[in-house]
Amino acid sequence: MTLSLSKRVQRVSLSANAAAKSRATELRDAGHDILDLTTGEPDFDTPEHIKRAACAAIAGGATKYTPTPGVKALRLAVQRKLQRENRLDYSLASIVIANGAKQIIFNAFAATLDDGDEVLVPTPYWPSFPDSVRFNGGEPVFIACGLEQGCKLTATQLEQHIGERTRWLILNGPGNPSGAVYSAAELQALAEVLRRHPQVLVLLDELYEHIRFDGQPAQSLLNVAPDLHARCLLVGGVSKTYAMTGWRIGFGAGPQVLTNAMAVVQSQSTSGASSVGQAAALAAFEGGLDFLPEQVAAYQLRRDLLVRTLRDVDGLEVLEPQGGFFVFIRCAGLLGHYRPDGARLDSDADVVAYLLEQGVAGVAGSAYGLSPWFRLSIATATDSVVEAGRRIARACANLRGAA
């Protein structure tokens, strides 16, 4: 018997991040000395008060099915969080909870895209953006945003790429993998374009909102253009800020007609998110952010150490991240050079494979739609980040010049 797979699933691929992580783990398990800088997962533990709240929920019997849009107490907590931290007002009916922010994004596209509808995806992008679009029948339209513009979309580019079938624009800030942060002026310029195209919805992925290195509070397109409120879906969660990646709780806040439709989609897939995870997320949003400055300072120190080392390496160009916990590096200057074993580096995948042999695991920029680059995570121990920089510098110095 030959099992036939759907055309839909054949349009998407396994996460390159997961594949790189898996390969690094295999090599470490086999005894190799590998510094794993592949994954965007905080190396800090979930704060104790959040874990205690989860244990109390279990002890109190909060282990049953939950409402598909989310437990009311958590949705109210998200509502307060958005008022307090983001200076944004949403009705309770405009907030929906899911099994992670990724599901929020998937549900939104499932609820709004018809076959052939287009979604504007600035490049570099988080790989789940275009694949979620494809899986739901849409077509990602990529907009290249390179080093010269700080990997940020410009108003001119946005205007040029909006067409008759454009349904969504994705804005991710601070960006993954770039760490780019849009200024108020840049957001206002994008808003001016969007006002001329009222059919375009905007997905605001702000998972890294509090991990910024400029000392400024989280800032959204909606803070500078509140008139776009009815066209935006704000996506957030607990995974990055609270080191809760495994708890799988995300939220969406947007027009009620959209959040209602997203709840319908979710009701036919996973239903409501984990009762225990929601109890933990409630404690997260209500427990304050006193722990956060220390963590952000650690990320910033790691960024500074890694950027300082790699900026002095011939063949590399480093985009200094303004937030998040990744460093994105252009490696065009290494292509055409030869490894000590004589093999030629012809792509960012070749560069990443070479660095892995030197004990540093990263992810090729092609996974994020921009080559030749590679991404390194700084969400790991500071000593590991420093040593990774040394190994990369040494590996590049050992290359032989292009023929």
Side-chain angles (χ1 to χ4, degrees):
M1 172 184 172
T2 301
L3 178 63
S4 179
L5 299 177
S6 70
K7 293 180 180 178
R8 179 178 297 107
V9 78
Q10 292 180 59
R11 296 184 73 199
V12 303
S13 58
L14 182 67
S15 164
N17 297 342
K21 171 72 173 178
S22 178
R23 180 58 179 155
T25 300
E26 288 176 4
L27 290 171
R28 292 174 83 171
D29 289 347
H32 296 276
D33 176 19
I34 303 294
L35 299 172
D36 185 358
L37 276 64
T38 61
T39 306
E41 182 171 48
D43 57 317
F44 300 100
D45 195 13
T46 302
E48 285 299 321
H49 71 279
I50 298 174
K51 293 192 285 186
R52 288 195 300 270
C55 292
I58 295 171
T63 57
K64 308 299 183 183
Y65 288 134
T66 61
T68 300
V71 172
K72 183 177 181 181
L74 176 56
R75 293 163 69 209
L76 285 168
V78 170
Q79 184 183 50
R80 291 189 292 270
K81 169 257 188 294
L82 290 170
Q83 292 171 336
R84 180 178 65 248
E85 299 174 11
N86 305 90
R87 307 168 300 286
L88 298 171
D89 292 320
Y90 286 91
S91 69
L92 188 64
S94 297
I95 296 169
V96 63
I97 307 299
N99 300 276
K102 183 182 288 190
Q103 187 178 33
I104 290 288
I105 295 167
F106 187 95
N107 289 350
F109 291 150
T112 57
L113 293 179
D114 289 320
D115 289 350
D117 283 346
E118 295 178 349
V119 177
L120 304 183
V121 185
T123 303
Y125 51 72
W126 181 48
S128 289
F129 289 144
D131 273 352
S132 289
V133 172
R134 294 185 183 104
F135 201 91
N136 287 293
E139 297 293 337
V141 175
F142 300 112
I143 308 176
C145 304
L147 181 66
E148 68 284 350
Q149 61 198 73
C151 289
K152 291 186 282 188
L153 177 68
T154 68
T156 299
Q157 287 179 304
L158 176 58
E159 186 72 70
Q160 291 171 342
H161 284 83
I162 293 177
E164 291 183 2
R165 299 216 62 174
T166 303
R167 193 79 172 101
W168 285 91
L169 164 68
I170 296 174
L171 281 181
N172 175 208
N176 174 7
S178 67
V181 172
Y182 287 87
S183 69
E186 290 166 337
L187 291 172
Q188 190 62 260
L190 295 175
E192 286 297 322
V193 176
L194 290 166
R195 291 185 182 106
R196 295 193 288 272
H197 301 277
Q199 80 280 11
V200 180
L201 302 171
V202 187
L203 191 148
L204 302 170
D205 179 353
E206 301 186 357
L207 263 290
Y208 297 91
E209 59 178 346
H210 290 305
I211 305 173
R212 295 176 58 136
F213 307 135
D214 57 5
Q216 299 300 309
Q219 179 172 252
S220 168
L221 175 70
L222 290 172
N223 296 128
V224 301
D227 57 302
L228 300 181
H229 195 281
R231 296 165 52 188
C232 292
L233 176 67
L234 179 64
V235 181
V238 296
S239 61
K240 311 303 183 183
T241 298
Y242 300 94
M244 293 176 66
T245 50
W247 297 85
R248 307 311 305 138
I249 299 294
F251 70 81
Q256 185 176 342
V257 65
L258 174 58
T259 54
N260 286 348
M262 291 164 61
V264 170
V265 172
Q266 188 164 313
S267 74
Q268 298 299 343
S269 56
T270 62
S271 297
S274 159
S275 58
V276 177
Q278 291 193 66
L282 172 59
F285 288 131
E286 297 288 85
L289 296 168
D290 291 345
F291 63 90
L292 190 60
E294 180 181 353
Q295 295 186 10
V296 173
Y299 294 134
Q300 185 166 355
L301 173 63
R302 297 167 188 175
R303 178 203 67 169
D304 293 344
L305 292 169
L306 187 59
V307 168
R308 188 179 306 137
T309 297
L310 297 185
R311 271 187 171 162
D312 293 333
V313 175
D314 289 341
L316 300 182
E317 298 172 272
V318 184
L319 176 65
E320 182 174 273
Q322 300 305 303
F325 34 69
F326 304 106
V327 176
F328 203 41
I329 302 132
R330 189 168 184 263
C331 55
L334 300 183
L335 302 190
H337 287 69
Y338 292 84
R339 297 163 29 142
D341 62 5
R344 178 181 157 118
L345 301 179
D346 290 320
S347 68
D348 52 14
D350 292 341
V351 172
V352 168
Y354 172 56
L355 295 180
L356 184 60
E357 292 182 11
Q358 312 309 308
V360 179
V363 186
S366 53
Y368 311 100
L370 196 61
S371 292
W373 293 66
F374 62 96
R375 189 193 80 169
L376 300 174
S377 171
I378 53 174
T380 190
T382 302
D383 288 348
S384 295
V385 171
V386 170
E387 177 59 20
R390 292 193 189 111
R391 292 185 187 185
I392 292 170
R394 187 165 57 247
C396 292
N398 288 336
L399 293 171
R400 291 190 281 115

